[in-house]
Amino acid sequence: MSTPADRSPDSTLAYLREGYRFISTRCERYGSDIFTTRLLLEPTICLRGRPAAMLFYDTERFQRAGAMPKRGQRTLTGVGGMQGLDGPPHADRKAMFMSLMTPSAVRHLGQLFEDEWRARIPAWERSGPVVLFDEVGRMLTRAVCAWAGVPLAEREVARRTGDLHAMIDAPVALGPRHWRGRLARRRGEHWAGDLVERVRRGALPAPAGGALRVIAEHRDGGGRPLPRRVAAVELLNVLRPTVAVDRLVVFAALALHDHPHCRDHVRSGEDATEQFVQEVRRYYPFFPVTAARVRRSFDWQGHHFPQGRRVLLDLYGTNHHPKLWPEPERFRPERFAGWPVDPYAFVPQGGGEHLGGHRCAGEWSTIELMKRAVTLLTTALRYDVPPQDLAVSLRRMPARPPSGFLISDVRRTG
């Protein structure tokens, strides 16, 4: 079988121009869920769909080392973090992260976030229009730092939130957005590294079981502590993805605005709230793709995968695949009622298994935070949505409404 090939000598600019739809558009054009192209001047295989996800998360065939472009490591993930590891080192580091994600710890993070939210409502009542994205970002920064045992003075909140946002915003950006992300990464790693060193010296008390102490005291398979910079990267890999949930919270608010009948649905109980949250995660753009490299050459369904070739799995396209999701462009929370959990069909934060695989360790906390936010938006306050630009462009990665979702005339109800 001949694998379809994108005709452009290099598709990097097309990828930046088309954003989340780049892979799916070509899959539909070629009538295939696999094609080859060149990105950043490098031959690349692009995939979407459930069989592709099952293949992609086969650790015998793929590795993560060397898969993330340097511009992504220098902004989003950091160098030396868990996302770029394979085999026993990955398993060791993943176990460290998963030890933080116990059900009680996840609920505690959710409660800290809810407390922050409720504490802000009186200020919103007294103010003019509120930019929900900005507010939620700062609330999540306060909550996750308290949860992780990271000291954070109030005067630092805006700066740390801004740096975490800059890292999230930078990987596929060009020009100032990208360079802001690089500078934010340097500042963040210096700050996080200092915290780790102070804990190790005994100069900074850190709660047992909190991310800061767990990472500072972690020993690898050889009994060695993580190098300062790697420990800093991993601490940021707890804080940054948690703050990134502010985009999903804004998307949830947008969905409630665009589909007001969902308000009564989510008020009907926890199951309905979770269905709504899962549909927000499926429908709206979050992570566009994830990357790996072929460990050893092999053939799959008639397609050849050469050793060392970079492979991209289309997360957004898989969550909108018409063979997996009937009417994928309609927002329908009820599709998750009685939905059998399938880690290869629903991949908003990666696919496969949590414990031993490369699926995001923070997925459970993401769901918890979103459920708390949706409950608060529908039961704890009333608000108006003034005229604003709420269009979500799939060309911008990561996506969000340009306005940040303005709310006004906030009133407490519970």
Side-chain angles (χ1 to χ4, degrees):
M1 183 183 297
S2 175
T3 306
D6 204 13
R7 297 183 182 90
S8 174
D10 186 85
S11 296
T12 303
L13 292 179
Y15 177 73
L16 295 174
R17 184 173 61 249
E18 298 175 33
Y20 290 87
R21 289 285 300 164
F22 172 82
I23 294 178
S24 286
T25 295
R26 282 153 183 77
C27 288
E28 291 156 12
R29 179 186 303 164
Y30 303 134
S32 169
D33 282 343
I34 177 173
F35 67 91
T36 65
T37 188
R38 291 179 69 88
L39 292 171
L40 297 174
L41 302 177
E42 181 177 344
T44 302
I45 299 173
C46 298
L47 305 167
R48 71 167 185 172
R50 187 182 188 281
M54 291 184 68
L55 171 71
F56 184 85
Y57 287 99
D58 182 346
T59 57
E60 296 298 315
R61 289 176 162 175
F62 293 96
Q63 64 185 37
R64 268 54 188 177
M68 172 72 77
K70 289 295 184 183
R71 61 186 291 113
Q73 295 180 49
R74 291 167 181 161
T75 54
L76 184 68
T77 64
V79 176
M82 178 184 65
Q83 295 95 332
L85 300 177
D86 299 287
H90 174 264
D92 174 75
R93 203 78 61 82
K94 186 66 176 288
M96 178 189 75
F97 276 95
M98 295 308 296
S99 74
L100 303 171
M101 298 298 167
T102 64
S104 61
V106 169
R107 286 193 299 272
H108 180 49
L109 175 60
Q111 188 61 55
L112 289 169
F113 175 55
E114 180 175 334
D115 293 345
E116 290 287 342
W117 187 300
R118 291 185 181 279
R120 289 295 297 158
I121 295 176
W124 297 350
E125 290 181 303
R126 297 189 300 270
S127 72
V130 171
V131 181
L132 192 63
F133 177 76
D134 294 344
E135 288 283 337
V136 173
R138 290 191 288 266
M139 290 188 293
L140 285 168
T141 298
R142 294 187 191 98
V144 73
C145 283
W147 179 78
V150 170
L152 184 71
E154 183 59 28
R155 66 180 182 277
E156 295 182 84
V157 171
R159 178 176 54 164
R160 298 303 176 196
T161 306
D163 279 350
L164 294 167
H165 276 161
M167 295 178 210
I168 296 162
D169 220 27
V172 297
L174 299 174
R177 264 177 63 200
H178 179 74
W179 288 103
R180 279 196 295 271
R182 286 204 178 194
L183 291 172
R185 164 61 57 182
R186 292 176 188 171
R187 285 194 298 266
E189 289 185 6
H190 179 76
W191 168 64
D194 279 351
L195 292 173
V196 168
E197 287 295 337
R198 289 167 59 197
V199 170
R200 288 173 173 174
R201 294 197 311 267
L204 175 63
L212 174 56
R213 184 164 170 182
V214 167
I215 292 168
E217 295 181 349
H218 182 73
R219 298 293 187 269
D220 64 18
R224 298 176 295 271
L226 298 176
R228 172 191 161 121
R229 182 175 181 182
V230 172
V233 164
E234 299 298 38
L235 181 57
L236 292 175
N237 280 336
V238 172
L239 307 183
R240 172 188 47 76
T242 306
V243 173
V245 176
D246 56 7
R247 295 175 186 274
L248 291 170
V249 170
V250 167
F251 287 141
L254 177 59
L256 290 170
H257 175 66
D258 286 343
H259 309 278
H261 65 279
C262 287
R263 287 182 168 272
D264 290 335
H265 179 67
V266 300
R267 289 191 194 107
S268 67
E270 186 173 349
D271 288 347
T273 303
E274 181 147 351
Q275 292 164 22
F276 178 84
V277 163
Q278 297 292 48
E279 180 68 347
V280 169
R281 297 173 69 229
R282 183 202 69 83
Y283 181 82
Y284 289 97
F286 194 44
F287 292 125
V289 299
T290 187
R293 286 195 183 274
V294 177
R295 188 182 294 276
R296 290 181 293 274
S297 297
F298 67 92
D299 293 319
W300 177 75
Q301 296 187 359
H303 304 283
H304 185 61
F305 288 71
Q307 183 176 3
R309 184 64 48 89
R310 178 179 289 153
V311 179
L312 299 182
L313 176 66
D314 183 1
L315 301 179
Y316 179 81
T318 299
N319 288 336
H320 286 254
H321 200 299
K323 292 182 179 179
L324 295 172
W325 306 98
E327 300 182 289
E329 301 308 322
R330 285 189 59 194
F331 186 83
R332 294 175 46 212
E334 62 273 14
R335 73 173 78 239
F336 282 96
W339 182 76
V341 176
D342 187 336
Y344 300 104
F346 184 45
V347 291
Q349 291 173 257
E353 301 300 328
H354 288 98
L355 296 177
H358 287 271
R359 197 177 187 103
C360 178
E363 188 168 22
W364 297 328
S365 61
T366 297
I367 294 168
E368 175 72 14
L369 292 166
M370 291 181 68
K371 286 165 64 175
R372 298 271 184 161
V374 169
T375 300
L376 289 161
L377 285 166
T378 54
T379 64
L381 67 158
R382 295 183 184 275
Y383 55 88
D384 296 332
V385 180
Q388 60 192 286
D389 185 359
L390 291 175
V392 178
S393 173
L394 295 179
R395 295 180 176 182
R396 190 191 192 280
M397 299 180 291
R400 66 178 177 90
S403 66
F405 201 86
L406 291 169
I407 59 174
S408 62
D409 298 317
V410 175
R411 293 91 70 194
R412 276 173 287 189
T413 60

